[in-house]
Amino acid sequence: MKFSDYNISPLIKEQLAIMGFNKPTDIQFKAIKHILDGEDVMAVAQTGTGKTAAFAIPVIDKLESRNRKGYKGIRCLVMVPTRELAKQISGVFNEIGKRTRIKTFGLFGGVEQEQQIRTLDNGLDVLVTTPGRMFDLISQGHLDISKLEFLVLDEADLMLDLGFMKDIQDVMKHIPNRRQTLFFTATISKKIKSLAYTVVREAIRIQISPKNPVAKNIDHAVAFVDMDDKRFFLENILKEYEEKQFIVFARTKVRVERIVAAMQRVGVKSEALHGGIEQKERFVILDRFRSGENKVLITTDVASRGIDIPTMDYVINYDLPDDAENYVHRCGRTGRGNKKGQALSFCSEAEKPLLEAIEAYTGEEIEQYEISKDDYMDILNDSDDGSYDWKKLLDKSNIEDGTEDEW
Ligand code: AMP
């Protein structure tokens, strides 16, 4: 089935063709028809499967066909856990709905209110928002969600993790009972199910790749590397694949900054993105990455969800995540839609239990990237980082001593 065969507005079809969306992805194939039929949907779909368009396409189509002239309140509310997601999803709505009359806005905190209020006062159809700023604006009377037709909860599992349960319940008090609800989560747990059943009614349940939560079109590999040597391996890869785009995940903000500095020392340009950087600047950094102006983004798990960069080639787990689930989200940054991606993890001795936890969670062993002792040493020796010289000396003296094996 192709999008051209769907019973949706030609204005949307034309735009999808321009975007290069010809065939629906799995989740789109399973969800769109039910949403068009007016049913509630509860979908478990991992990141990168095309789930945004799975709800954006039918919602835009229905809003467009049921045009409510003169009504200025919100008709579809999309609740998301992070500002980055609000920005990204509103962007997808605006792009898919470009030729329609449907207006979408991404609302979030951390930026000035005035401009946002002006946009709301002018009237819009779809609001994509994080909970905090939305409640501020409802209480100030700038936001009316009382006649909502659609409620979408996206990345509901992350919303619960971030403590938004009460906010979701509060939203329920402001919106009509008669509405269509679309509930999306990347993972499923008892808590998620019970939340879902308080918001959806007789929902169609859809699950994408339940047994293997890691997107199918990603090649995974792990390299066993000493903690102190990771930067040399990163340098080696980034220099070898200069023209490719990388996202590199590290455990903490401090480590992110250190890696960026280490790469700078060896002449590799990269940028840091983490929660310690101001929101406005974070968007600018993301835009530079999206446009390809910067090819290497070094980040914490803050950015492991919500970034959609279609051209991204590699995910590097410089540090393995403490939480196995985050491995899936990180790797979801590559191999998006129908594209192929690669994920390489550096695993130190101390991180082996984390690797086991990831393999237990995904149910699949990650292929080991074999590095011979000679290659390993070559990578260290090839580094342009002067700080490695002492190691070269040590290495040399070990070989001369005949103690190479212990080293
Ligand atoms: P999402 O899971 O919604 O973040 O989407 C992941 C990526 O897949 C995005 O880069 C979309 O542009 C892309 N995508 C979504 N649907 C399709 C489709 N039907 N054909 C090609 N690419 C798609």
Side-chain angles (χ1 to χ4, degrees):
M1 183 133 174
K2 291 193 181 133
F3 280 122
S4 50
D5 302 323
Y6 275 72
N7 188 17
I8 52 174
S9 159
L11 300 173
I12 298 176
K13 287 186 193 176
E14 283 164 23
Q15 186 59 23
L16 290 176
I18 290 171
M19 291 165 69
F21 288 19
N22 300 315
K23 268 172 42 192
T25 62
D26 213 9
I27 178 75
Q28 291 162 3
F29 180 71
K30 289 182 176 146
I32 290 176
K33 56 183 178 223
H34 294 293
I35 302 175
L36 289 174
D37 283 347
E39 288 172 287
D40 280 8
V41 164
M42 179 189 164
V44 183
Q46 71 233 26
T47 186
T49 52
K51 65 191 165 84
T52 315
F55 57 83
I57 294 170
V59 165
I60 294 170
D61 183 69
K62 296 198 82 169
L63 293 178
E64 174 75 1
S65 67
R66 297 193 299 230
N67 189 27
R68 274 163 60 179
K69 255 195 169 160
Y71 178 66
K72 282 197 167 181
I74 306 297
R75 299 174 64 196
C76 170
L77 178 68
V78 184
M79 286 180 74
V80 296
T82 65
R83 294 163 184 181
E84 279 85 1
L85 265 177
K87 191 162 183 263
Q88 181 178 306
I89 292 176
S90 56
V92 173
F93 266 86
N94 275 323
E95 204 179 352
I96 295 176
K98 201 170 181 177
R99 287 149 192 269
T100 68
R101 285 162 294 192
I102 303 307
K103 280 191 263 166
T104 302
F105 183 58
L107 178 78
F108 37 80
V111 291
E112 295 278 312
Q113 270 196 17
E114 279 57 43
Q115 178 65 37
Q116 295 180 331
I117 291 172
R118 269 198 297 280
T119 308
L120 290 173
D121 289 348
N122 284 337
L124 31 99
D125 305 280
V126 182
L127 184 73
V128 186
T129 182
T130 52
R133 182 62 57 95
M134 173 181 66
F135 283 115
D136 290 347
L137 295 177
I138 289 177
S139 62
Q140 292 170 33
H142 294 291
L143 190 52
D144 178 10
I145 54 173
S146 65
K147 299 203 174 58
L148 212 63
E149 294 161 55
F150 290 93
L151 172 68
V152 183
L153 294 180
D154 192 28
E155 304 259 357
D157 48 347
L158 185 58
M159 279 209 260
L160 285 192
D161 288 350
L162 295 176
F164 290 145
M165 183 71 177
K166 190 170 173 304
D167 292 316
I168 297 171
Q169 287 164 342
D170 285 349
V171 164
M172 298 302 143
K173 292 179 203 152
H174 286 85
I175 61 177
N177 278 333
R178 245 178 75 95
R179 59 161 199 269
Q180 199 174 344
T181 305
L182 314 173
F183 186 99
F184 286 79
T185 178
T187 56
I188 192 90
S189 65
K190 263 194 181 156
K191 253 170 97 180
I192 279 290
K193 274 193 201 159
S194 66
L195 169 68
Y197 291 126
T198 62
V199 294
V200 298
R201 251 172 255 121
E202 293 171 27
I204 301 292
R205 275 180 279 175
I206 298 170
Q207 188 146 3
I208 302 296
S209 316
K211 292 210 183 72
N212 177 7
V214 180
K216 284 185 290 228
N217 47 351
I218 302 175
D219 289 333
H220 298 261
V222 59
F224 292 102
V225 178
D226 276 357
M227 194 54 107
D228 291 342
D229 297 336
K230 287 182 175 181
R231 62 201 161 108
F232 303 116
F233 282 79
L234 183 64
E235 173 190 347
N236 187 273
I237 295 169
L238 296 181
K239 284 185 173 164
E240 176 140 3
Y241 298 99
E242 231 173 6
E243 74 294 354
K244 302 276 185 195
Q245 203 164 17
F246 286 85
I247 185 161
V248 179
F249 287 100
R251 225 181 41 248
T252 63
K253 293 179 210 171
V254 174
R255 281 179 69 72
V256 165
E257 293 291 353
R258 277 199 199 134
I259 301 165
V260 171
M263 290 306 110
Q264 195 178 5
R265 277 203 302 274
V266 296
V268 175
K269 196 174 152 259
S270 67
E271 282 200 87
L273 179 80
H274 54 68
I277 297 170
E278 229 187 277
Q279 186 62 52
K280 259 195 190 151
E281 184 56 23
R282 270 155 67 177
F283 286 145
V284 174
I285 293 168
L286 271 177
D287 283 344
R288 268 201 293 267
F289 190 52
R290 276 201 191 95
S291 70
E293 191 187 330
N294 167 38
K295 291 201 178 300
V296 183
L297 189 71
I298 304 186
T299 184
T300 57
D301 281 304
V302 157
S304 69
R305 290 197 186 186
I307 306 180
D308 175 36
I309 298 128
T311 56
M312 182 133 67
D313 303 297
Y314 289 95
V315 166
I316 301 222
N317 291 304
Y318 190 88
D319 296 321
L320 286 179
D322 290 332
D323 185 349
E325 206 181 299
N326 276 342
Y327 178 82
V328 178
H329 297 305
R330 289 178 177 191
C331 296
R333 301 302 109 206
T334 176
R336 296 174 80 70
N338 297 323
K339 292 207 173 63
K340 267 232 158 269
Q342 304 243 2
L344 175 65
S345 302
F346 294 163
C347 179
S348 66
E349 191 60 35
E351 291 174 300
K352 283 188 175 163
L354 298 178
L355 178 66
E356 280 167 23
I358 290 165
E359 291 180 333
Y361 178 75
T362 60
E364 271 183 29
E365 206 171 308
I366 301 177
E367 195 183 317
Q368 191 181 331
Y369 185 77
E370 303 275 355
I371 311 171
S372 71
K373 215 170 176 180
D374 284 346
D375 286 347
Y376 194 109
M377 291 317 294
D378 282 347
I379 287 172
L380 302 196
N381 289 325
D382 284 348
S383 171
D384 287 321
D385 189 332
S387 71
Y388 179 60
D389 284 355
W390 65 272
K391 260 193 171 173
K392 276 189 190 167
L393 288 176
L394 186 64
D395 178 32
K396 203 163 156 263
S397 71
N398 279 340
I399 293 169
E400 281 163 3
D401 285 341
T403 52
E404 194 186 358
D405 281 346
E406 284 164 35
W407 159 247

